[in-house]
Structures are given as structure tokens and as C-alpha cells.
Amino acid sequence: MNGFLGARRVANGPDTRTAVRLVGVTAAYDGVGALHDADLDIAPGEILALLGPSGCGKTTLLRSIAGLHRPSSGDVEIGGALMSGGRTWVRPERRSVGMVFQDGALFPHLTVAENVAFGLGRHDAATAGRVAELLELVDLADYADRAPGTLSGGQQQRVALARALAPSPSVLLLDEPFSALDAALRGQIRSEIGRILREVGVTTVFVTHDQDEAFVLGDRVAVMSNGRIHQVDTPDALYRRPADAWVAGFVGEANLVDAEASGGFADTAFGAVPLDGQHDGPVTVLIRPEQLKLHPGVEAEIVDVEYYGHDARYGVRTTTGLEVAARDTDADLRERGSTVGVSYSGPPARFWVR
Ligand code: ADP
Ligand code: MG
């Protein structure tokens, strides 16, 4: 079997169906574990978001791909070629990887154009043309001679992106590239960078602790906590079919309601909720706030109101004492202390056996 696979590999050359592959990658700092047994397959041209709370190992995973950190075990492949694993170790500068960090880390004494040219590592006739092309791509053609310090945070990040893209890397790695920007700017630059990445078609791994960012930019999202990857899926699949209760709560607000299941339904405080599988016995049902409709239904009290304009989030307490969140786009804002009806209105719900 090994012989057959080996022969096929030689016949077809390197496996280019995956741009980046991690197999059982474990990493530690001075013997303290930071990443455990990470498996990941990233397709060519895909944008993969690594999403997880601070300290969960996202940067360590990114650095393991870049070759800035050496895993204690497991394999890292780029474009089908082994970068690290066993006795193999390919130095970072030989991996064809571009990186953008949180603060952009531009050279303050170089102009915008010189910063981008630096990414090319050479100065010949082709350099100026390539730099102009990249500045055009990131919409900064008029800023070539400016000093980085005179640009806005968003513009600086676009220069950093142009510099990383200049040598046409096989893989682009972005580590929380928007987190130093203020909230209003973040949404805008995230859309712009998304457009640029899709235009270039470069395989991208992008680290964030922000669920919105991961969902908006990622073709798929890998959700991490405590050094482990919980689930890798499209944003839609993560939201609707989270692998576990932790993922459910991290990618959106989750009401986790304990109930008895039978015949494909859970008997909850809001009546029967259809389930997306068969099980009879105690379960925990995932109910998203927007799946709870405030009228008509089981009687409940509004105990909390947060008004957002486009919708409102209500804390709702049933007569059985269960408190849940409900989101409602109804123009009539409900008052704290008022009585409403609550019912489930959504697809068959995800559940876990208790
Ligand atoms: P994230 O990027 O998700 O915030 P990191 O990969 O930076 O997480 O860190 C994962 C874990 O490894 C954390 O517990 C962190 O404290 C630890 N760690 C990260 N870098 C170092 C380092 N250079 N030396 C020792 N521990 C580190
Ligand atoms: Mg980090």
C-alpha cells in the first residue's frame, strides 16, 4: 500500500490540491503546550480564518506554517512539499510565505514604494513596475513617495499587504491585521482587503479573535480554543451545525436549553422544538436568539431590553424561570416588565445528548 501511494505520488508530482496541509502539528514553548495535534487542509486560493480567544494558539499555528516556530511534532506542507516534519526543516525565507502583522511593521524611514520594493528583495528594471502594480492593487498609487507615518492606519495596513504580496508568495499569512484599527475603520478595511485577496487569488490564512471578521472574510473558519482546533467549516455550517456547545456559543449567541427529546421533538419551556436528528432522552438544544418569536406563544416576561435600531435583543423569562435571549426586528419596542408570548420558529434544531 505504501509502495502504491509512493508510486502514485512520483507519477503525479507533488499534491497541489492542498496549498497548505498540517498533520498532527503539536507545538510548545519551553515544554509548555500551545498547539495540540492540529490537522488542517487549505485549498489553493482559499481564505481560511483562524478564530479563537486570545492565547488559544492562533499565532503559534501561523508561525508554524511560516517557519518562525518549530513544532515539536507533526508535518507542515506547502504546495505539497514538506516544510517541517521528521528531520525536515525548511527555513522561513525558503517557504514562499508572505506575512502581515497586527501593526503592519512598516519601515518608517522608507517611502511607501520603498517599503513595497523591500518585499521583492532586489532592485532591477522590473522592480519599479511591480511596485506600481501593487500600489495600484491596494489603491495607493498616489502615495508612493509618502512616509508611512503620514498615512492612516488602514492605509498602512494596505502598504503592508502590498509588501507581503510583492514576491507573489504561495501563501499569505495575516495575524490580526485589523486589531490596531478603530472599529469604524475596521469594517471598511476588512472589505477592501477581502476584495484584494480575492482579486489576487492567493491562498490566505488569516488570524482573528473577532467572529464577524472571520465570517465576513473566511471561505472557511477554523475555530480554536486551548491549543486545539474544534471545527473547520464554512461560516454558515459553523453557525447552523456547530460541532459542540462551545463552538455554538463562540460563533454567535446561543441559548442552550435542556429538555427531554422524543419522536424528533424536544419538549422545551417554549413548547415542542423540532430536532435535526433522532434521540429519545435528555438533550441540550441549541436555540439562536433570532429563532425565538415574541408573539404568539408560551407566556413570558421581558426582563432585559437592548435596542440596536435594526433589531432589539430581549432577555426573556418563562414562568418556569428559564431565562433566554430573543432577537426581534419588530418595530414595536417592548418594555422591560411586560408580558409576551414566546415560540420557536426555525429549522430543526441542533442538539447534544446529555
Ligand atoms: P493567540 O495568538 O491565539 O493569542 P498564541 O499562539 O500567541 O495565542 O499563544 C498560545 C500560548 O502560547 C499562550 O498560552 C501563550 O502565552 C503562549 N506563548 C506564545 N508565545 C510564547 C513565547 N514566545 N514564549 C512562551 N509562551 C508563549
Ligand atoms: Mg496571536
Side-chain angles (χ1 to χ4, degrees):
M1 172 125 178
N2 275 339
F4 170 72
L5 285 176
R8 197 176 58 166
R9 214 165 209 199
V10 171
N12 292 350
D15 183 354
T16 49
R17 286 166 303 173
T18 58
V20 179
R21 169 174 285 164
L22 272 67
V23 184
V25 173
T26 294
Y29 297 96
D30 302 321
V32 180
L35 187 63
H36 306 283
D37 204 18
D39 293 333
L40 210 49
D41 267 315
I42 307 168
E46 185 175 32
I47 301 177
L48 182 97
L50 283 182
L51 172 68
S54 176
C56 75
K58 304 180 297 295
T59 294
T60 303
L61 196 157
L62 212 66
R63 288 168 57 86
S64 299
I65 297 173
L68 299 172
H69 184 82
R70 188 166 191 159
S72 37
S73 62
D75 292 350
V76 175
E77 288 176 22
I78 295 178
L82 189 63
M83 297 289 120
S84 75
R87 254 173 277 162
T88 301
W89 175 253
V90 176
R91 292 201 311 271
E93 62 274 20
R94 307 286 305 273
R95 294 192 180 197
S96 184
V97 159
M99 282 198 84
V100 176
F101 300 96
Q102 182 175 329
D103 57 0
L106 297 174
F107 303 112
H109 57 288
L110 299 182
T111 66
V112 164
E114 286 164 349
N115 266 279
V116 177
F118 187 89
L120 290 167
R122 59 179 157 73
H123 290 278
D124 55 27
T127 304
R130 179 72 179 143
V131 169
E133 190 184 329
L134 283 154
L135 289 180
E136 193 73 44
L137 175 74
V138 299
D139 208 14
L140 288 173
D142 297 338
Y143 295 75
D145 299 323
R146 293 271 287 267
T150 68
L151 303 182
S152 72
Q155 290 169 330
Q156 290 185 31
Q157 281 307 65
R158 271 145 57 199
V159 177
L161 180 67
R163 183 177 63 184
L165 287 172
S168 304
S170 314
V171 183
L172 186 68
L173 305 175
L174 309 174
D175 196 350
E176 310 238 12
F178 316 125
S179 59
L181 309 176
D182 62 63
L185 201 60
R186 246 188 342 247
Q188 190 196 336
I189 176 100
R190 146 181 109 195
S191 311
E192 282 171 30
I193 289 196
R195 169 192 66 78
I196 294 164
L197 296 179
R198 283 177 220 287
E199 191 175 324
V200 176
V202 63
T203 307
T204 302
V205 186
F206 153 71
V207 163
T208 179
H209 61 266
D210 182 312
Q211 180 249 339
D212 282 355
E213 235 164 69
F215 274 35
V216 170
L217 272 184
D219 295 317
R220 286 187 306 152
V221 179
V223 184
M224 295 180 66
S225 80
N226 289 322
R228 292 184 193 279
I229 298 176
H230 282 242
Q231 187 174 3
V232 188
D233 244 319
T234 60
D236 174 57
L238 279 173
Y239 191 75
R240 292 194 301 152
R241 293 187 299 281
D244 55 49
W246 187 84
V247 172
F250 196 72
V251 301
E253 189 169 10
N255 297 304
L256 297 168
V257 177
D258 287 347
E260 283 293 317
S262 72
F265 287 87
D267 184 22
T268 75
F270 328 100
V273 171
L275 299 177
D276 73 352
Q278 284 295 330
H279 177 77
D280 289 349
V283 294
T284 299
V285 185
L286 167 62
I287 298 178
R288 297 291 184 190
E290 66 275 16
Q291 294 169 336
L292 287 176
K293 294 287 166 262
L294 289 191
H295 194 80
V298 173
E299 189 179 302
E301 185 192 349
I302 301 277
V303 291
D304 188 41
V305 180
E306 291 172 2
Y307 180 64
Y308 292 100
H310 44 72
D311 71 348
R313 178 192 176 282
Y314 298 99
V316 176
R317 191 192 296 135
T318 66
T319 51
T320 59
L322 178 69
E323 243 183 76
V324 290
R327 291 197 87 112
D328 201 294
T329 51
D330 197 337
D332 296 330
L333 194 62
R334 288 153 201 279
E335 283 174 24
R336 193 176 283 114
S338 62
T339 300
V340 290
V342 184
S343 61
Y344 180 80
S345 170
R350 188 100 174 120
F351 68 94
W352 294 278
V353 173
R354 275 190 288 141

